Amino acid sequence: MTAIRPFHLAFPVLDLEETRSFYVGVLGCGTGREDVHWVDFDLYGHQVVAHLDPNLDRAIAARNPVDGDDVPVPHFGVVLTMDQWRALAARLEANEGTRWVIRPRIRFEGQPGEQATLFILDPSGNALEFKAFNDDAQLFATT
């Protein structure tokens, strides 16, 4: 199996300082290069880059039903280890400013692809999902 390489994702935000406060202070990300129009964040080893877009619409465009939840579209996130997921879920639960879309739960319980999941919004309204599996082989499970 080939080692997974870090991904890169650029996304729009309304305010870089508000975004920095959230990604560093709430999610615990490190930072990398930056400019007055963008900043790199280290999201569990992946490079996500916030780009200033003062015309960004904070509304979630659509939601799709997934195992009883209305999942926001679009969204992005990271598959964590179960210990990382539990620690992040506890951190977010303790933060009274967390903007929940879907609180921490187990999805597809007892089925192929069973996973822990949670969805939050960043200050600009970008939806993020963090998930974990007891068995990473279930990531693409269909049966």
Side-chain angles (χ1 to χ4, degrees), residues 14 19-20 26 34 37 63 66 119 121 125:
L14 288 165
T19 299
R20 178 192 311 280
V26 176
E34 60 185 88
H37 300 288
R63 294 181 187 247
V66 178
F119 281 80
L121 297 178

Side-chain angles (χ1 to χ4, degrees), residues 59-138:
I60 295 172
R63 294 181 187 247
N64 285 327
V66 178
D67 194 37
D69 290 320
D70 286 329
V71 171
V73 179
H75 67 267
F76 68 94
V78 179
V79 177
L80 305 173
T81 67
M82 194 58 80
D83 287 342
Q84 288 173 317
W85 184 87
R86 284 187 189 108
L88 179 60
R91 181 181 191 158
L92 293 170
E93 290 278 10
N95 178 22
E96 60 188 53
T98 298
R99 296 172 55 202
W100 292 103
V101 176
I102 299 171
R103 292 187 97 80
R105 69 177 293 257
I106 303 299
R107 179 185 292 152
F108 307 124
E109 194 164 3
Q111 301 175 49
E114 179 178 296
Q115 59 196 259
T117 187
L118 64 85
F119 281 80
I120 59 173
L121 297 178
D122 76 5
S124 295
N126 293 299
L128 291 93
E129 178 183 20
F130 295 91
K131 63 171 70 177
F133 297 82
N134 283 318
D135 175 5
D136 282 348
Q138 292 294 300

Side-chain angles (χ1 to χ4, degrees), residues 2 8 12 14-15 21 28 38 44 62 68 72 86 91 94 127 129 136 140:
T2 304
H8 164 81
L14 288 165
D15 182 299
S21 179
W38 54 268
Y44 293 93
R86 284 187 189 108
R91 181 181 191 158
E129 178 183 20
D136 282 348
F140 297 107

Side-chain angles (χ1 to χ4, degrees), residues 7-46:
F7 69 79
H8 164 81
L9 174 74
F11 61 99
V13 299
L14 288 165
D15 182 299
L16 285 178
E17 287 313 309
E18 184 180 47
T19 299
R20 178 192 311 280
S21 179
F22 174 79
Y23 281 85
V24 174
V26 176
L27 294 182
C29 294
T31 58
R33 292 171 299 189
E34 60 185 88
D35 181 82
V36 296
H37 300 288
W38 54 268
V39 60
D40 288 350
F41 295 104
D42 176 350
L43 182 66
Y44 293 93
H46 302 285

